[in-house]
Amino acid sequence: MSSRIYLGELEELILLMVALLNKEAYGVTVAEELKAQANRELSISAIHAVLHRLEEKGFVKSKMGGASTERGGRRKRLFSITAHGRNALEELRDTRNLIWNLIAKTTTL
Amino acid sequence: MNHSLKPPAWVDKVIDSLSPTDLSEEIRGDLYEMFVKDILNKNIQYARRRYVLNGVGFLFKSFFWKKSPYQPKPTPMLSTHFKMARRSLAAQKGNTVINVLGLVAGIAATLVILAVVRFELSFDTFHAGADRIYRMVRVSGDDMSEFRTGISYPVPVAIKEEIPGLNNMNTTAMEYFGGANVDVIDKSGTTLRRFREESGATLVDPSFFKVFDFGKGGLTWLSGNPDKSLVEPLSIVLTRSYAKKYFGDENPIGQTLRLQKRYDAQVTGVVEDFPNNTEFPFSILLSYSSLTKLNPGAPNEWTGVNDGHSVYIRLPEGMTQADMEKQIARVHAAHASKELSSSRHYLLQPLSNVHFDARFGTFSGRTISRETILALELIALFLLLTGCINYINLATAQSVLRSKEIGLRKVMGSNRKNLVIQFLIETFMVVLGAGVIALGLSEALIIALQPILNLRLTHYNFTDPAVILLLAAIVAVLTLVSGFYPAWTISRFHPIDALRNTFATERLGGISLRKVLVVFQFTITQVLVVGTFIVVSQMQFFQNVDMGFNRDAIISVRVPDRSAAGIKVLADKLRALSSVARVSFSYTLPSGVNRSHSYQDIGKPEAKEMKDYVVFEYGSIDSAYLGLFQLKLLAGRNLNAADSSRNILINQQLANSLHLGTPEEALGQQLKWNGQIMTVVGVVNNYFMNSLKEGYDNIAMRTEPGSYSTVSIKLQTTEGKSLIQAVKDIEKIWKENFPDHLFSYQFFDENIRAFYAQETKYAQLFQLFALLFLLIGCLGLYGLITFVVNRKGKEVAIRKVLGANVRQILVMFSREYVQMVALSFVLAVPVAYYVVDSWLSNFAYHIPLSWWRFVLPGVLVLVIALVIVSTKSARTANANPVDKLKYE
């Protein structure tokens, strides 16, 4: 079960962004997407930190992309979600859904 | 994009240098992308600010600091280096031992030398405002050639009264009389204990402690205080150890000490012992006001001078040394006669020079010139350098043995940087080991050498953070100096050549450098060996030269009772002893360190002005004096008891100074001395009243029984009795005659030897250093030749098979080394000549610098080198060639 999945709120959010960006995820795009979708402004270093942590935990994998002039000729590291990452996200979503369903049945908000 | 719109470059640099290489690219890429977007959305300032903020933000993230897993981690590699170093050092034990020994000798000697230098440089630097304290000195003579420290008694009083700004707060006079008879007496006046102090007794003014505060916290007063305890005449302050010595655990305050058997003084205070590194080595401080009792006439005596009477001044604010000297000259001229004030100058000497200027005396009796300190420091430097040279030579020579290891390392992917680090670590381990051993050794050496070094250190080297720091610095520098070159050449090997082992020793770029280093090393060694040889010869010259008198088996004692009757009784009793050959009473001894000096003026009867007189040393003698010291009468007759004090003996030098002609012509001439007319009845040969550093002095002697303060006793040595026994006999008589006085005697020859105490110590020290250099140099030579002999075993074998004999092979091995040692000798001679010549010029009488004094020690070094090389190569030369060749 999900007891072995440790995903913080921010980690989950960024993992979602990586999934959303679909192989176009790297520091800057993740930051922009976070701003656009969740209205969260995070420093680029924080995003890198989370991405590295996710990679260590095996939720994302990375490879170096091509160089582009807008980056001053530097390559970017492109992140994509692993199957393990996708499973984790789904499990989290399922757990939440299950609980939301229970809430809807027993109480009125 | 516009070129002026660039992100701050320093952020990039920081990221590049700190982050793992594979991260910096993407980080900087992201930053740059955002920067560009910021410029488009906002403006350049905003973009720059964000760039910095975001960039710096990375520094706070832990992932940023994690080194990439693909990079070899240095820590485990470092431990490998240590392991490898340990193994290769253990594999070449002989070399390691030679290297460590050489370095230990160098480092230990350096630590000892630096301890000495630090001690010498620390003298009296701790007083607050020491840079404004000056000693008054007396420079006199027509050519200002006489340098003394004594100041006439009224001078300090007058300058305090007449020079504005000078007062009791910044001017202090003191008189060091050094030796004293000190008796502890009880309330009823009975003497409990007797002591004879040879040093440390001083008259001190309360202002002494105003001028000299002895640094932080000053000297602790255990009882009494500096303002009150030294005010009353005949009050005494003792140092803690002297109070203990006299009174044990009793309370010393209020006790009575009898000085010189005459003056009863009250103990009014106890002060902590004076530090070792001060020119004020006081232990018994008598109040300066006691002068009125001890020497009532003194305060008005502007001409007479006592060299123990010193004056120190702390310059008032805004006054320079030159100003003060002018003022002092003004005051002196106002009181003293014109002749005196024009020939005698009271000048100022900075306190910081007192310990280093040998022209003037000091209370501690020791000075060291700044040149000597520099020489010591140079020797330390060179000792370290020779240790390094050994290491460099051996390491480069041995490197060929390790070519396989290096080749393999390079093939396996080691880069040059890694190899250099590996070799430096190896060097570091050797140097560190040597440093640790040297620290222990230096401690033992300092303790063992204290008498030679005249060093009084109060704490251990181990516990001194400065020493530990210094040692760390020495180890670091030595590691780099001695390790870098070998590491550099060894790591340069081409892996293929290295693995095929095609190197011959000669082809290792180090050969020429190695020769240069060996020559350099032996040049220093030869300079020192030659220098030491000449210094020792000069010392022996001092000991053995005919000073104009006999000094064997003579002891001297102070006479307690100078009355004619007392002297007669003592003389009769002494002469009755079988162990005594001759006895003579006189004012002072003909020579030696411990004797009274009295300088007076003498001239022809028509002399009027100061310049018509010459200064001479006065002596008062009895008729036995000439016979006892075997002074030779050149003309005239000896003095006898019937002579009036108007008949004088002069020496040849005085006859020359006054242009009296030959000794015969001088006889019967009249001379004016102290306003009285004297007649010359005899002329004696010249003899050295002072050390050979100075020339002959003018001497005049007469009989003046009241001034006999010394008795000289020539011991009978022919009877097979020991000198010690003879002295014991005399002591027995002494105790019967003078129960109140301690019998303290001195051998005359030792008294003379003491002239050269300082030189003797340096001579011993330099002998030690020369030996050390020789030792290190020979160790290095031994290491080199061992290596060469081992490498060339096969060559020797083939040569022997082809008909070479042992002698030819020995010549082959030693030729190179003989050449190098000979070359270094040629280089060393001019340096040694220059140094030795300037040292010898300190002495009025010295040995001639003949060529053999250089060649002899040079040949000695060459022979030693040759012995080392040939004994080591002899085994290879004698070996059976079959053993070497059969495995081929």
Side-chain angles (χ1 to χ4, degrees), chain B residues 646-717:
Chain B
R646 296 288 178 89
N647 291 346
I648 59 171
L649 280 180
I650 62 173
N651 71 341
Q652 205 178 356
Q653 179 76 19
L654 182 58
N656 292 342
S657 303
L658 289 172
H659 309 292
L660 301 181
T662 65
E664 285 75 18
E665 288 167 359
L667 288 182
Q669 296 218 35
Q670 312 252 296
L671 293 174
K672 192 157 77 176
W673 162 8
N674 249 349
Q676 289 181 311
I677 297 296
M678 305 286 175
T679 311
V680 178
V681 298
V683 179
V684 298
N685 65 322
N686 282 336
Y687 61 89
F688 289 96
M689 284 206 101
N690 291 307
S691 73
L692 267 71
K693 291 177 237 177
E694 295 157 50
Y696 293 120
D697 294 294
N698 301 316
I699 299 161
M701 296 172 281
R702 62 176 176 180
T703 55
E704 195 183 2
S707 67
Y708 293 158
S709 51
T710 307
V711 56
S712 311
I713 304 161
K714 174 94 175 175
L715 304 176
Q716 188 67 264
T717 48

Side-chain angles (χ1 to χ4, degrees), chain B residues 118-228:
Chain B
R118 255 160 51 103
F119 177 71
E120 299 289 356
L121 290 180
S122 70
F123 266 70
D124 286 309
T125 49
F126 37 76
H127 306 294
D131 54 329
R132 294 194 66 78
I133 303 178
Y134 289 79
R135 173 168 75 172
M136 253 175 110
V137 292
R138 186 176 98 240
V139 181
S140 42
D142 293 335
D143 49 354
M144 304 270 276
S145 62
E146 195 192 327
F147 300 95
R148 306 272 172 194
T149 53
I151 307 296
S152 292
Y153 290 108
V155 174
V157 182
I159 60 171
K160 266 190 274 191
E161 275 171 10
E162 297 171 31
I163 297 177
L166 283 193
N167 52 43
N168 277 334
M169 297 300 287
N170 53 25
T171 312
T172 185
M174 65 197 85
E175 178 168 335
Y176 187 77
F177 51 102
N181 289 312
V182 181
D183 298 341
V184 179
I185 59 174
D186 66 8
K187 294 276 184 292
S188 60
T190 325
T191 304
L192 299 175
R193 290 178 288 275
R194 294 189 188 87
F195 298 92
R196 170 70 203 176
E197 303 301 346
E198 293 302 338
S199 62
T202 323
L203 293 172
V204 173
D205 203 53
S207 54
F208 177 81
F209 294 97
K210 300 274 187 285
V211 178
F212 300 102
D213 67 355
F214 287 88
K216 264 183 276 153
L219 280 178
T220 314
W221 283 72
L222 304 172
S223 53
N225 72 62
D227 296 324
K228 298 208 179 84

Side-chain angles (χ1 to χ4, degrees), chain B residues 603-803:
Chain B
K604 292 194 173 179
E606 62 270 23
K608 286 198 180 60
E609 287 180 52
M610 205 79 169
K611 64 179 170 53
D612 298 332
Y613 288 93
V614 297
V615 176
F616 73 96
E617 264 218 71
Y618 159 81
S620 168
I621 61 172
D622 65 2
S623 55
Y625 189 80
L626 295 192
L628 192 150
F629 291 107
Q630 291 174 18
L631 299 175
K632 284 182 274 301
L633 268 175
L634 301 176
R637 60 172 179 85
N638 191 2
L639 294 174
N640 56 49
D643 269 309
S644 79
S645 60
R646 296 288 178 89
N647 291 346
I648 59 171
L649 280 180
I650 62 173
N651 71 341
Q652 205 178 356
Q653 179 76 19
L654 182 58
N656 292 342
S657 303
L658 289 172
H659 309 292
L660 301 181
T662 65
E664 285 75 18
E665 288 167 359
L667 288 182
Q669 296 218 35
Q670 312 252 296
L671 293 174
K672 192 157 77 176
W673 162 8
N674 249 349
Q676 289 181 311
I677 297 296
M678 305 286 175
T679 311
V680 178
V681 298
V683 179
V684 298
N685 65 322
N686 282 336
Y687 61 89
F688 289 96
M689 284 206 101
N690 291 307
S691 73
L692 267 71
K693 291 177 237 177
E694 295 157 50
Y696 293 120
D697 294 294
N698 301 316
I699 299 161
M701 296 172 281
R702 62 176 176 180
T703 55
E704 195 183 2
S707 67
Y708 293 158
S709 51
T710 307
V711 56
S712 311
I713 304 161
K714 174 94 175 175
L715 304 176
Q716 188 67 264
T717 48
T718 48
E719 276 179 32
K721 261 180 148 181
S722 72
L723 291 180
I724 304 299
Q725 185 54 45
V727 171
K728 273 190 186 143
D729 292 344
I730 297 168
E731 183 169 13
K732 214 169 124 211
I733 290 195
W734 205 265
K735 282 198 172 137
E736 288 165 15
N737 252 30
F738 310 105
D740 287 348
H741 288 80
L742 290 181
F743 177 69
S744 89
Y745 68 95
Q746 189 172 28
F747 275 98
F748 185 46
D749 53 351
E750 280 169 14
N751 198 351
I752 289 168
R753 211 171 292 146
F755 277 137
Y756 315 108
Q758 195 89 342
E759 281 83 8
T760 313
K761 274 170 187 159
Y762 288 131
Q764 286 171 317
L765 214 56
F766 277 88
Q767 271 167 286
L768 212 68
F769 288 141
L771 214 64
L772 215 53
F773 272 106
L774 210 55
L775 183 79
I776 300 179
C778 289
L779 273 177
L781 215 55
Y782 182 82
L784 272 185
I785 193 70
T786 308
F787 171 75
V788 170
V789 164
N790 288 346
R791 291 291 296 172
K792 290 196 171 173
K794 216 171 273 171
E795 181 187 332
V796 169
I798 291 173
R799 277 173 188 269
K800 280 186 86 171
V801 167
L802 294 179

